[in-house]
Amino acid sequence: MAGTVVLGIESSCDETGAGLVRDGRLLGQALASSMDEHARFGGVVPEIAARAHLEAFTPVVREALDRAGLRPADVGAVAVTTGPGLSGALQVGLAGAKTLAHSLGVPLYGVHHLAGHVAADTLEHGPLPDPCVVLIVSGGHTSLLLVRDLARDPVVHLGDTLDDAAGECFDKAARLFGLPYPGGPAIDRAAREGDPGAVAFPRPLTGPRDDPYAFFFSGLKTAAARWAERYRAKGEQPPLADGAASLQEAVADVLTRKAVAACREHGVGTLVVVGGVAANSRVRALAEERCRAAGIALRVPPLRLCTDNGAMIAAVGDLLVRAGAAPAPLDLSVDPSAPLEYAALHPVGRAAPALV
């Protein structure tokens, strides 16, 4: 229903996000991150993430409402990430969202996390063209999608990662290079002083094959490890700026080459690049360069909407409400490994066994 204020809750990993959207417009959002607590472990620790969500949930929702100039009573629907993600983290967000929806007497919607990344772009650039090709690149996911009506139609997967996602490759390579976590921003910073052509890193799965839009980044990570090891075996420090720039160039090359090819093959005039790795400077620049050459319109959300946030989940909830989608059942659960098929994700928990 038009005019409904939708509160979105995101807690799939290490960010607790809340956002408020009405009729495609972002009214306010807030975000808390536990990333600093995970940095000394070199990656996200699920138990730490879940505890951080518990502590941050109420303050983040309150801050989002304050920034929007709204009261809880103004909320007409609640949307929450129900998968994929860390099980404990998802459970915290869902429990909080259920409590809010019940106390306010408003419908609840379960949302697929990746659909949230897709919808994030609508908050900056308006409705998605029908159809469009979407490249999702994040720490855990790399996919090429054909998207029509996000709220109503199934999402068509043109290609997905077969192993490591692009962001995961950056994280692992950064650790091998001795750079801090998270690896994506660290690689991007180091690459500014390097030569992207210094190291001939491979471009995995770019030749002819049955699955032309699949991604495979573990081999690239291994090549980066071998490159660094060769220097250290001689007692030398590898030239990290050159390594970072060359690795970043290889990832950006593979991502944008396949994305533009998918647009051409399917006759689609718009490419949307979303997810945490969409914040990478070289991915953005090369996507712009190649789309311009191919006559393809490029849409990339602003940096604040690329990483996980509550606004993107509210954006999906807003689309579902306006499309007249059915709310989630009362026994809505989470699915930590849910594939992206539809924007709405309403897994149902199994009933407890009967006592005899």
Side-chain angles (χ1 to χ4, degrees):
M1 182 174 64
T4 299
V5 174
V6 180
L7 169 64
I9 302 295
E10 158 61 22
S11 69
S12 65
C13 191
D14 59 344
E15 275 113 3
T16 311
L20 294 132
V21 171
R22 178 174 55 207
D23 294 338
R25 187 167 69 91
L26 177 60
L27 306 177
Q29 68 165 326
L31 189 70
S33 175
S34 59
M35 185 177 294
D36 290 346
E37 298 177 58
H38 304 285
R40 62 194 178 102
F41 299 102
V44 176
V45 180
E47 178 64 19
I48 291 176
R51 288 175 181 269
H53 289 307
L54 278 169
E55 295 173 1
F57 185 92
T58 299
V60 163
V61 171
R62 185 181 297 121
E63 182 181 349
L65 286 165
D66 288 346
R67 289 184 174 183
L70 297 173
R71 301 165 301 145
D74 296 319
V75 173
V78 177
V80 61
T81 303
T82 47
L86 302 174
S87 179
L90 290 168
Q91 292 283 6
V92 173
L94 178 57
K98 282 185 173 182
T99 301
L100 286 171
H102 179 72
S103 64
L104 296 172
V106 300
L108 177 68
Y109 294 85
V111 169
H112 196 288
H113 176 77
L114 297 184
H117 278 302
V118 178
D121 183 72
T122 67
L123 299 175
E124 183 71 14
H125 300 119
L128 293 169
D130 180 2
C132 60
V133 168
V134 178
L135 173 64
I136 296 180
V137 274
S138 68
H141 305 275
T142 302
S143 297
L144 263 176
L145 311 171
L146 183 63
V147 175
R148 304 195 72 91
D149 186 323
L150 185 63
R152 295 181 173 91
D153 296 332
V155 175
V156 178
H157 287 248
L158 304 177
D160 296 284
T161 188
L162 301 179
D163 51 14
D164 289 356
E168 188 177 1
C169 176
F170 280 148
D171 284 341
K172 292 178 177 178
R175 186 184 305 173
L176 294 166
F177 290 174
L179 296 172
Y181 175 85
I187 292 283
D188 203 349
R189 288 191 299 270
R192 293 170 192 164
E193 306 299 324
D195 175 5
V199 187
F201 285 133
R203 272 48 170 176
L205 299 189
T206 50
R209 53 180 279 117
D210 294 336
D211 192 0
Y213 302 121
F215 298 97
F216 179 84
F217 288 110
S218 69
L220 180 56
K221 171 206 65 183
T222 301
R226 298 291 176 267
W227 170 80
E229 287 168 1
R230 283 196 292 272
Y231 280 92
R232 289 176 179 137
K234 297 183 291 185
E236 302 174 5
Q237 258 313 99
L240 293 182
D242 286 346
S246 299
L247 176 74
Q248 181 173 263
E249 187 69 20
V251 171
D253 181 21
V254 171
L255 291 173
T256 57
R257 187 188 308 187
K258 292 188 179 226
V260 169
C263 289
R264 284 173 167 161
E265 179 179 343
H266 292 275
V268 174
T270 301
L271 171 65
V272 184
V273 183
V274 298
V277 180
N280 179 272
S281 62
R282 185 54 182 156
V283 170
R284 295 169 82 95
L286 192 54
E288 183 176 344
E289 176 186 322
R290 287 180 165 169
C291 282
R292 188 187 306 114
I296 295 167
L298 174 67
R299 291 174 42 154
V300 187
L303 297 182
R304 73 182 189 281
L305 294 176
C306 287
T307 54
D308 295 351
N309 60 84
M312 70 185 199
I313 304 305
V316 178
D318 174 63
L319 292 173
L320 293 172
V321 167
R322 288 190 282 151
L330 294 176
D331 53 351
L332 177 67
S333 185
V334 302
D335 185 348
S337 57
L340 175 56
E341 298 172 341
Y342 288 89
L345 180 61
H346 293 170
V348 175
R350 291 179 296 177
L355 298 176
V356 294

